[in-house]
Amino acid sequence: MNEKKYKRIFTVVIDSLGAGEMPDAASYGDAGTDTLGHIAANVDELKIPNLQKLGMASLKNLSGIEPAEKPLAYYGKLREASNGKDTMTGHWEMMGLHITTPFKTFTETGFPKELIDELSERTGRTIIGNKSASGTEILDELAEEEIATGHMIVYTSADSVLQICGNEETFGLDVISVGKIFDIFDGEGITESNKSKSSVHGMEQTIEIAKRDFEGFCFVNLVDFDALWGHRRDVKGYAQELEKFDVKLGELLGELKEDDLLIITADHGNDPTHTGTDHTREKVPILAYSPSMKEAGELEEADTFAIIGATIADNFGVGMPEGTIGHSILDKLN
């Protein structure tokens, strides 16, 4: 193992920002998908100067965005080794797990009666919905009933996640929610959890954390790209969210210290120009930057997202558990 190189590592997951189809995309019904590329090609102008200078336009051609002459970061693409294209699979692989059996989804059947009954009993509320829909669709259909009756809306967005929504004035705020990273890993190994109201808020929280003095790993998921724009096939909304992120990224870069490492990546694709409303089977980008770097440039395309977790573990001198995948690229970040 390497001696610790960075005091702090920040990994920011731009949820669903795919960087082009996987070789097996056709078997998932996702041939030709390219979340980032198609967004850039289908808006008048995509303004992401901070991502641009780090190397996002160098790892793939982006319409209207010139590659940086000298990118500040190491940049590349990661292929997904696991079978799936959902949040859980993507994040779990990032941390070294090879998921060979896709997570069960509930698109066709809704959630099992036993689960719904248990949820109803524990919350004291009648459950309505229990089907696959986008957030907009389910609210259009059931919001008035929820407000009038206090019933709980449960739905899924073509993945393995159970989602609950309601009007905050009538639904009440005595239901505890936690950040998505906490949920994805069931709180394992997490010593502090921050819930985010939006992706912009999530970046603001990250900026505040960067101002603190600590040693360790900060893992961030920005879900609005996926939930608000990808699933709803809203190209313009997705592009605007990227531009908002880029502004906050500039602020975060200003807070990074010499012994910090920032990794920007994604967990799957969700091409807003594709048919349907499901995630898309894509490679994901990786940008790795530290103010202390003397070099930068293209990384070899990796065959798994798990190089991220392996690199973080290597940096902090933590052994990867038996059966995990991935290899560290810490020695390539100079």
Side-chain angles (χ1 to χ4, degrees):
M1 291 189 189
N2 290 301
E3 184 179 345
K4 184 174 61 189
K5 193 171 181 177
Y6 300 104
K7 181 179 178 182
R8 310 187 300 181
I9 297 181
F10 296 83
T11 295
V12 178
V13 180
I14 305 177
D15 199 307
S16 83
L17 190 68
E21 64 177 353
M22 281 276 292
D24 61 357
S27 65
Y28 288 78
D30 296 330
T33 53
D34 182 355
T35 301
L36 178 57
H38 288 159
I39 290 168
N42 283 278
V43 295
D44 292 336
E45 185 179 12
L46 182 62
K47 299 177 182 177
I48 49 172
N50 290 301
L51 285 169
Q52 180 181 11
K53 71 181 184 182
L54 288 178
M56 190 66 92
S58 303
L59 67 86
K60 69 181 286 79
N61 291 327
L62 296 178
S63 177
I65 304 176
E66 288 295 320
E69 187 174 335
K70 292 184 177 179
L72 298 180
Y74 288 89
Y75 57 87
K77 299 176 190 174
L78 309 178
R79 299 192 298 273
E80 188 164 18
S82 298
N83 297 326
K85 54 178 180 176
D86 58 90
T87 294
M88 298 283 281
T89 300
H91 282 79
W92 284 19
E93 178 171 321
M94 225 176 280
M95 294 297 112
L97 294 179
H98 186 196
I99 309 301
T100 55
T101 303
F103 286 103
K104 179 176 173 57
T105 60
F106 302 91
T107 306
E108 303 298 329
T109 61
F111 296 100
K113 182 177 185 300
E114 307 92 284
L115 176 60
I116 294 299
D117 289 346
E118 181 76 9
L119 184 61
S120 180
E121 182 178 343
R122 292 197 180 202
T123 60
R125 295 178 183 270
T126 299
I127 307 299
I128 57 176
N130 190 24
K131 62 181 180 180
S132 175
S134 73
T136 304
E137 292 169 340
I138 204 74
L139 286 174
D140 285 347
E141 179 183 348
L142 297 174
E144 290 187 8
E145 179 180 348
E146 185 275 322
I147 291 170
T149 64
H151 294 166
M152 179 186 289
I153 301 172
V154 169
Y155 70 107
T156 184
S157 296
D159 55 24
S160 57
V161 179
L162 181 148
Q163 300 183 72
I164 298 172
C165 67
N167 184 292
E168 64 182 33
E169 294 181 5
T170 56
F171 192 70
L173 300 175
D174 48 356
V175 176
I176 299 172
S177 67
V178 295
K180 193 171 182 182
I181 292 294
F182 187 96
D183 290 345
I184 291 167
F185 295 98
D186 199 26
E188 286 296 317
I190 296 173
T191 55
E192 175 185 334
S193 176
N194 296 275
K195 54 185 178 181
S196 302
K197 300 173 185 175
S198 66
S199 289
V200 169
H201 182 222
M203 283 299 289
E204 290 171 345
Q205 291 172 307
T206 306
I207 291 163
E208 289 305 309
I209 291 169
K211 293 177 180 178
R212 292 158 36 183
D213 182 22
F214 72 96
E215 178 181 329
F217 173 45
C218 178
F219 199 7
V220 181
N221 176 277
L222 305 175
V223 72
D224 285 358
F225 297 92
D226 186 49
L228 297 185
W229 315 120
H231 284 302
R232 298 179 185 181
R233 296 300 187 250
D234 188 334
V235 178
K236 184 177 180 181
Y238 206 128
Q240 290 174 340
E241 195 74 46
L242 275 172
E243 292 179 341
K244 292 177 188 176
F245 166 79
D246 196 81
V247 172
K248 292 300 176 184
L249 173 60
E251 296 178 31
L252 177 60
L253 291 174
E255 297 295 338
L256 295 181
K257 298 177 173 58
E258 287 290 303
D259 54 359
D260 287 339
L261 175 65
L262 171 65
I263 298 172
I264 297 173
T265 189
D267 53 345
H268 52 73
N270 202 344
D271 188 340
T273 69
H274 194 47
T275 56
T277 60
D278 198 1
H279 297 148
T280 45
R281 175 79 168 172
E282 297 182 51
K283 302 172 186 177
V284 301
I286 181 172
L287 299 172
Y289 168 74
S290 173
S292 64
M293 285 176 174
K294 303 293 191 291
E295 301 175 17
E298 188 171 10
L299 295 168
E300 182 181 357
E301 184 168 300
D303 60 3
T304 174
F305 299 175
I307 66 166
I308 293 173
T311 300
I312 294 165
D314 189 11
N315 182 75
F316 293 114
V318 176
M320 292 293 285
E322 184 179 349
T324 53
I325 61 173
H327 63 277
S328 173
I329 59 167
L330 191 64
D331 60 355
K332 292 182 170 60
L333 307 180
N334 301 309

